[in-house]
């Protein structure tokens, strides 16, 4: 399997401070931004800083999911179905901004597929 793009999503409670850090201190260039997310060029990949809006205030810092390994693909549904057929639990979601499928690797790390076409549109619309 070959991916169109890969990226890392950082889920943060300190959204504004992290965006400022990666943009002003590290000098990363914005690819696009939304209400609660900013996507930066990160070598041949991307780094998406996103507000952790799923935090319920109950989990400690070490229990919170803080990162997601993202793989952009042409067809999220096909790969989601492949995972499901291999007894891997998948959270498949269709949104106006794109389709994603979240799942965990054998060690519990969060991974996700994202449809390439809508991601590329977000970039071109920002320019």
């Amino acid at each position: 399997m070959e991916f169109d793009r890969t990226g890392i999503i950082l889920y943060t409670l300190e959204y504004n401070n992290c965006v400022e850090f990666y943009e002003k201190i590290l000098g990363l260039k914005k690819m696009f931004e939304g209400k609660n997310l900013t996507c930066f060029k990160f070598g041949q990949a991307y780094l998406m800083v996103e507000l952790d809006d799923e935090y319920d205030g109950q989990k400690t810092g070490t229990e919170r999911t803080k990162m997601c390994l993202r793989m952009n693909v042409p067809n999220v549904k096909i790969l989601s179905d492949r995972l499901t057929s291999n007894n891997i639990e998948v959270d498949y979601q269709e949104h106006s901004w794109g389709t994603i499928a979240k799942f965990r690797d054998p060690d519990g790390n969060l991974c996700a597929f994202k449809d390439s076409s809508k991601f590329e549109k977000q970039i071109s619309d920002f320019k």
Side-chain angles (χ1 to χ4, degrees):
M1 172 183 333
E2 190 170 315
F3 304 115
D4 296 327
R5 282 189 193 254
T6 56
I8 298 169
I9 302 173
L10 295 180
Y11 297 110
T12 179
L13 300 175
E14 296 289 332
Y15 174 73
N16 292 325
N17 291 334
C18 284
V19 168
E20 184 174 339
F21 174 80
Y22 288 106
E23 183 175 24
K24 306 276 195 250
I25 306 297
L26 293 187
L28 299 183
K29 304 277 186 224
K30 281 184 189 175
M31 295 172 73
F32 64 88
E33 61 188 344
K35 181 180 176 195
N36 291 317
L37 67 86
T38 302
C39 191
F40 294 102
K41 188 172 177 114
F42 196 61
Q44 297 302 311
Y46 60 88
L47 173 66
M48 184 175 289
V49 178
E50 186 171 336
L51 178 66
D52 183 354
D53 59 1
E54 293 184 9
Y55 180 62
D56 61 5
Q58 302 294 317
K59 296 178 181 174
T60 66
T62 57
E63 294 172 320
R64 259 183 63 235
T65 298
K66 297 180 184 179
M67 186 197 78
C68 176
L69 179 61
R70 171 77 72 77
M71 295 151 275
N72 292 19
V73 296
N75 192 316
V76 174
K77 183 68 173 145
I78 288 173
L79 294 174
S80 175
D81 290 346
R82 181 186 302 173
L83 292 173
T84 302
S85 71
N86 282 283
N87 298 315
I88 297 170
E89 187 176 326
V90 178
D91 179 10
Y92 179 85
Q93 304 172 22
E94 294 181 5
H95 301 277
S96 60
W97 47 263
T99 301
I100 59 171
K102 294 181 179 181
F103 57 97
R104 294 197 180 263
D105 72 10
D107 196 37
N109 298 299
L110 183 61
C111 301
F113 294 131
K114 163 79 168 86
D115 63 299
S116 297
S117 61
K118 292 233 176 142
F119 185 83
E120 297 301 324
K121 183 171 177 358
Q122 287 174 296
I123 296 168
S124 64
D125 288 350
F126 186 71
K127 293 179 179 181

